[in-house]
Amino acid sequence: MRRRLPLCPLLVAALASGACKGKEVEVVCRPGALQFSRAASLVAEPAGVLADVRIAAVGSDFAIVWSAGASAADTDLYGRLVRHDGIASSNEVRITQAAGLSSRLRLAPGPSGIGVSWTDGRFTQQVAMATVLPPGSLSASGLPAVFQSPVVATDQAPIPGIAVSTSGWIVAWNGRGSDGNDHLFAQVLTSSGAAAGSPFPLAAAQEDRATRPTVAAAGSGGLVVIVDEEMRVGAADADVWATLVAGTGALASARYGASSEATSPEAVAFEGGAGVVWTDLRDGGRADLWYAQFGGGEIRLTQGPEAHGGASVVSAGAGFLLSWLADGELRFRAMKADGRPDGGPIAVGEASRGDVGWNGFSAGVVWIDPDSRIWFRPLACQ
């Protein structure tokens, strides 16, 4: 992680002499050094129902996208660009405009724009959709191809996740199988958002029982980790399943929370690896956050007395950034890849949900407050 400081060739000597004044350089900054750098700024006050909010980096700044509308069954996606210091750099933009819901969205920044996935209800049956928002713009008029998952059943309710890949993006969703159960499917998208090939199942034998997946790119080698919560045949309660995917094939799967009720998993990626964060009820029914690197042991991240959940994660170099809810309060923490904290937790404020973004040298948190307003607050290395 890096922050911008005065630039000069002989940094140590020049900083001591004051010769760097007025110039810039990037220097390494410990993740645990992130602190709030400015007060929170109001992003939007949507009328009606506010269903979701997400954040993703756009160069050195951020895009904030949310779902709002007249009712939970009739929402659209809206967005706004915000500078890394919290100052808005665009007006509010309406990204989708169709009857029915546009909700349960996910964002994934990439070289050619921001990958966006969501559940769409404009047709008779709900479908998973994904597209790419052009760099530096959230204008719907600039949208390239829009991917739509197949319609298999009248009662299907796919919820997609998306991540950047070597060739573009990969989107995954819980889709109805020929056996009448939901299974995990994935689709490779080009850099412009067009489908490359056909959807493929992650469990060819249909042994999975999929729910809402989340997706993260695991390093620069083209690996993607896809996680979801499943109650497979014969299981006593819900478990978390994580699958590594390369190209159009599943390489390996791992199961977590097998001795307890594990819910709401979030895929985690960092330099050289991947993992998963989830909410677990193994301690007397109290909700806590747990974490595991792919193929590794399980680690408790939080421990009461509050109920912990609603986790969001983003890759940040050799570790990741985590935001979560603790009895209605949003919190933030920098984490190392092995699950150890890199600095203390930071209280953000009252929230019903939140998300965290990373632009390469600073972070930003976004959240919905009890009055259904969207707020953003930047964090920088201090």
Side-chain angles (χ1 to χ4, degrees):
M1 300 169 107
R2 300 175 181 271
R3 59 172 174 158
R4 302 199 72 83
L5 285 179
L7 169 64
C8 75
L10 300 174
L11 182 61
V12 176
L15 283 176
S17 66
C20 289
K21 187 175 182 180
K23 301 179 182 179
E24 287 189 338
V25 72
E26 287 188 342
V27 297
V28 176
C29 166
R30 186 175 63 85
L34 284 169
Q35 298 289 333
F36 286 129
S37 55
R38 290 178 178 265
S41 55
L42 182 64
V43 176
E45 292 185 84
V49 173
L50 177 55
D52 202 0
V53 65
R54 296 288 173 183
I55 186 171
V58 182
S60 62
D61 299 323
F62 296 98
I64 298 171
V65 180
W66 62 93
S67 171
S71 69
D74 186 13
T75 56
D76 282 300
L77 302 185
Y78 298 81
R80 194 171 194 180
L81 296 175
V82 177
R83 288 182 2 190
H84 64 271
D85 59 6
I87 299 174
S89 57
S90 80
N91 294 323
E92 181 179 311
V93 175
R94 189 171 187 171
I95 300 171
T96 63
Q97 189 168 355
L101 65 86
S102 296
S103 188
R104 303 158 187 164
L105 71 143
R106 291 280 173 165
L107 305 179
S112 60
I114 301 175
V116 185
S117 68
W118 71 96
T119 300
D120 197 280
R122 71 185 67 184
F123 306 114
T124 304
Q125 290 83 27
Q126 293 184 12
V127 297
M129 284 193 173
T131 191
V132 178
L133 298 175
S137 172
L138 299 178
S139 173
S141 63
L143 288 181
V146 177
F147 167 76
Q148 174 187 324
S149 67
V151 174
V152 179
T154 58
D155 62 343
Q156 66 181 31
I159 303 175
I162 191 168
V164 69
S165 68
T166 52
S167 59
W169 278 266
I170 185 167
V171 59
W173 67 94
N174 52 307
R176 193 61 48 85
S178 58
D179 60 352
N181 297 304
D182 274 12
H183 304 284
L184 281 182
F185 291 87
Q187 172 72 57
V188 175
L189 305 180
T190 67
S191 59
S192 66
S198 301
F200 59 94
L202 269 66
Q206 295 189 335
E207 69 273 18
D208 60 336
R209 297 292 182 267
T211 60
R212 169 195 64 88
T214 64
V215 192
S220 59
L223 289 178
V224 172
V225 61
I226 300 174
V227 304
D228 76 326
E229 168 194 338
E230 299 183 19
M231 190 165 180
R232 295 195 175 186
V233 176
D237 49 35
D239 299 322
V240 169
W241 287 84
T243 302
L244 279 179
V245 176
T248 59
L251 298 180
S253 294
R255 180 186 184 188
Y256 302 102
S259 59
S260 62
E261 184 176 350
T263 66
S264 305
E266 291 288 321
V268 178
F270 41 83
E271 291 177 358
V276 57
V277 172
W278 71 94
T279 301
D280 203 299
L281 304 178
R282 71 181 67 184
D283 190 4
R286 187 189 67 234
D288 280 307
L289 296 183
W290 286 71
Y291 166 74
Q293 285 185 266
F294 191 87
E298 300 176 3
I299 301 170
R300 184 197 297 269
L301 298 184
T302 64
Q303 188 165 6
E306 308 99 332
H308 299 266
S312 291
V313 294
V314 65
S315 172
F320 61 95
L321 306 181
L322 169 69
S323 70
W324 76 97
L325 296 172
D327 282 353
E329 179 187 66
L330 186 66
R331 297 179 182 177
F332 166 91
R333 197 169 206 171
M335 306 295 298
K336 297 181 179 180
D338 61 6
R340 291 180 297 159
D342 191 5
I346 299 174
V348 179
E350 287 187 276
S352 59
R353 63 182 62 204
D355 196 17
V356 59
W358 169 249
N359 63 10
F361 66 91
S362 66
V365 288
V366 64
W367 68 95
I368 300 173
D369 75 4
D371 296 319
S372 294
R373 297 175 297 180
I374 301 173
W375 294 87
F376 169 85
R377 194 170 185 186
L379 297 105
C381 292
Q382 303 294 322

